[in-house]
Every structure is written in C-alpha cells, then in structure tokens.
Amino acid sequence: MTNAPPQAAIEFVSVSKAFGATPVLSDISLTIAAGERAVVCGPSGAGKSTLIRCINGLEQHQRGTIRVSGETLTEATRSLRQIRAQVGMVFQSFNLFPHLTVLENCCIAPRTVLGLPRKEAESRARTLLRRVDLPGYADRYPAQLSGGQQQRVAIARALCMQPRILLLDEPTSALDPEMVQEVLDTIVGLTDLGMTMVCVTHEMGFARRLATKVLFMDQGRIVESGPPADVFDAPQSPRLQRFLGRERAGP
C-alpha cells in the first residue's frame, strides 16, 4: 500500500499578471503542500510580494488558475470570502489600527468575521499574545510599542483567525536591525502549529531555519525551487549562483 501524496494547500497553474504593460508574474506554476513552509526569495522587483498577494486575492491575476485548499480563486465574493477566512496575512508595515488597543486589534476580526463572543475572542487573543511573548501588552496602543513588538502583535492578530495558511510579506523589512531577530525567532517558533506558511524574505539565514521549500524568483519567474540544502548549497542556475554570491559577499 502506497502513501497518498500530501494535499495541496496552494496551487498555481500557468499564472501570469502584469501592471499595465509591465509583466510581473510570467507563467508561474507551483504546488505548496499542506503543512509545508515555503520561503520566497530573490532580488527586488522579482515579483515575490505580488505572488503571495495573489494567494488571497489582494492582487488579481490575469491568466491561469490559483487554488487554495482546493477552492479556485476568482473575483466572486463567495470565493474570496471562503479563501480569506482560512488565509492569514502579516504585512511589511504591521497595519495595526492605531486607535485600538493590542487586545482590540487581535479581537476585531474573530468577532466581526467569525462571530466569536467577546470573552472567547479575548481568551484566544491573550493565549496568542503569550505565544508571541507579549502577555502584558493587551491594553497598550500600537504607538506605545516598538516596531518589533508591533509586528509580533500583527502575527498574533493573524493567528487569532486560526488560519490554515499564513502569508508573511517581508515581515522584517520595516524594522530596525536590532528588532529583526525577535520577529524571526517568533515566526520560527510557530512551526509546531503545523500551518502552511509562505514567507517572502531577504534574510537567508532565516530562510534556512524556516523553510521546507525555497522558491527563488527573478523577473517574474520561478528560476529554481527545492529543499533549502539543495537551493542554497548546490544552486543549479547561474542566476541563483550570482544572487547567493552577492549575499555571501555582503554589501
């Protein structure tokens, strides 16, 4: 008896997208299995953020098919609602509501989208704030937090929806260097939850720690993909070899 292949959490089939006359994604096909942690890396302008923003419909692709947990992504309201209910998103710039406390930021979506009672939503939020090492910050406002703390709140807020898939779009790019590690450590600490994760990052050491699959993009295409050891230690394409050579050499 053979084991069944893992269910696909995310599928792209010949997906393309352009902004005006400028192609951003060119004939992308990929599969990310349920529970897999995919890290997307590559030079600026490669299409990395556009790729993950297409997964939950924040950007609309123009050709091809995207499926999320078997549901085909379309512009139909029902399709978007079903997919966004199971896909959490952590943005570069936190996107916390400045007029709400940390606890209120974490509770607003579970209460309004999922219909959770206040006590249940607050209990879930407090549990997840402990998970990101911010147990005493529930009553503070975003302006009273450091950038790293705000990003950890944003992670807890996304987890409050209990998503099957977590998208992270360069989660440390807006942080001062001394705050980067606390956020990266928090994300790596989530791996025991078993969620499917897709993370865009330029932190190659972090990519090694987090990823079960690495996708290297350039000029809107996936140039190379595979396990971290294969991609980082034995790159096949000259473009990836040049990219990694510059990363190792530093500025």
Side-chain angles (χ1 to χ4, degrees), residues 68-144:
V68 179
S69 298
E71 177 82 15
T72 298
L73 177 63
T74 70
E75 295 180 40
T77 301
R78 174 182 171 277
S79 170
L80 286 173
R81 187 185 300 121
Q82 285 189 329
I83 286 172
R84 287 174 177 167
Q86 59 184 311
V87 178
M89 182 86 177
V90 178
F91 299 89
Q92 297 179 31
S93 53
F94 324 137
N95 287 11
L96 300 177
F97 293 108
H99 63 291
L100 300 181
T101 66
V102 165
L103 186 65
E104 290 167 341
N105 265 282
C106 290
C107 289
I108 187 169
R111 293 192 64 203
T112 59
V113 178
L114 302 181
L116 287 188
R118 179 189 295 272
K119 285 187 178 181
E120 186 176 347
E122 289 185 353
S123 175
R124 181 183 295 184
R126 291 182 189 279
T127 296
L128 289 164
L129 287 171
R130 288 194 295 272
R131 176 93 195 198
V132 299
D133 199 26
L134 292 172
Y137 289 74
D139 296 327
R140 299 195 189 186
Y141 288 88
Q144 298 173 305

Side-chain angles (χ1 to χ4, degrees), residues 176-187:
D176 293 332
E178 63 267 23
M179 299 176 184
V180 167
Q181 197 59 49
E182 67 183 57
V183 172
L184 298 183
D185 288 344
T186 297
I187 295 168

Side-chain angles (χ1 to χ4, degrees), residues 29-82:
S29 292
L30 65 88
T31 300
I32 298 172
E36 199 161 32
R37 301 186 300 276
V39 168
V40 187
C41 59
S44 297
K48 306 183 298 295
S49 292
T50 301
L51 179 116
I52 71 164
R53 289 171 69 87
C54 283
I55 293 171
N56 63 354
L58 290 178
E59 296 285 358
Q60 294 178 4
H61 62 292
Q62 288 138 350
R63 291 195 302 277
T65 302
I66 298 174
R67 299 186 188 93
V68 179
S69 298
E71 177 82 15
T72 298
L73 177 63
T74 70
E75 295 180 40
T77 301
R78 174 182 171 277
S79 170
L80 286 173
R81 187 185 300 121
Q82 285 189 329

Side-chain angles (χ1 to χ4, degrees), residues 183-242:
V183 172
L184 298 183
D185 288 344
T186 297
I187 295 168
V188 171
L190 302 177
T191 57
D192 67 321
L193 296 177
M195 283 184 303
T196 306
M197 300 173 72
V198 186
C199 180
V200 172
T201 186
H202 59 272
E203 301 281 348
M204 295 298 98
F206 164 65
R208 283 182 180 269
R209 293 173 62 197
L210 179 70
T212 56
K213 173 184 282 187
V214 175
L215 306 171
F216 174 71
M217 292 186 67
D218 186 43
Q219 297 184 346
R221 298 181 181 275
I222 296 176
V223 177
E224 199 162 331
S225 66
D230 292 351
V231 172
F232 291 132
D233 297 334
Q236 300 299 304
S237 66
R239 182 65 187 91
L240 178 54
Q241 292 167 5
R242 292 196 303 273

